[in-house]
């Protein structure tokens, strides 16, 4: 399933809009980006930064955390636009969870 970069970015924005405002209001110093290719095979998204649960009194002057979604790998695993919408949302939620300090093991326990 292929969409233009602009369409993909719109899907990411729509996925972000599904996150409850109570959670997005808590997100601090984080940017969401789209890249075409992942740095390693099989990677759909990546969180880079200091999770909120690990920020202390000395957290200052850091560059924004980065949540990156990889367009081509996400498209490659999807057959339909509905599949792509679902995978983008799942990846957005997964990476935001990392921003909140939730690791992969816990996400899998929660069904993500």
């Amino acid at each position: 399933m292929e969409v233009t970069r602009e369409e993909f970015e719109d899907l990411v924005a729509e996925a972000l809009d599904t996150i409850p405002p109570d959670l997005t209001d808590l997100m601090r110093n984080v940017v969401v980006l789209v890249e075409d290719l992942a740095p390693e095979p099989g990677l759909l998204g990546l969180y880079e930064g200091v999770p909120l649960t690990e920020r202390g009194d000395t957290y200052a002057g850091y560059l924004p955390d980065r949540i990156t979604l990889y367009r081509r790998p996400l498209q490659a695993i999807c057959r339909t636009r509905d599949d792509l919408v679902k995978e983008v949302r799942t990846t957005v939620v997964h990476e935001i969870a990392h921003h909140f300090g939730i690791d992969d093991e816990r996400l899998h326990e929660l069904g993500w």
Side-chain angles (χ1 to χ4, degrees):
M1 168 73 220
E2 289 193 32
V3 297
T4 67
R5 185 178 178 98
E6 183 178 320
E7 289 172 313
F8 188 85
E9 288 173 353
D10 288 345
L11 294 179
V12 172
E14 291 168 14
L16 288 166
D17 287 345
T18 69
I19 306 300
D22 292 349
L23 290 179
T24 57
D25 289 347
L26 297 173
M27 294 175 65
R28 297 284 183 258
N29 201 31
V30 62
V31 63
V32 178
L33 306 168
V34 170
E35 295 288 339
D36 285 336
L37 300 173
E40 60 185 68
L43 193 61
L44 303 178
L46 182 65
Y47 169 74
E48 299 171 285
V50 180
L52 294 176
T53 55
E54 295 178 18
R55 296 179 185 181
D57 295 338
T58 60
Y59 181 82
Y62 282 82
L63 292 174
D65 291 6
R66 295 170 48 121
I67 292 175
T68 308
L69 281 86
Y70 299 108
R71 183 174 69 97
R72 290 189 184 197
L74 278 158
Q75 290 178 147
I77 65 167
C78 298
R79 291 185 167 207
T80 67
R81 185 174 181 84
D82 287 343
D83 290 344
L84 185 58
V85 167
K86 181 181 175 189
E87 287 298 331
V88 166
R89 183 174 187 281
T90 298
T91 305
V92 165
V93 168
H94 186 98
E95 302 311 328
I96 287 173
H98 290 323
H99 177 67
F100 282 98
I102 301 170
D103 64 16
D104 283 332
E105 183 178 331
R106 182 66 180 138
L107 280 168
H108 291 296
E109 289 173 5
L110 296 169
W112 290 95

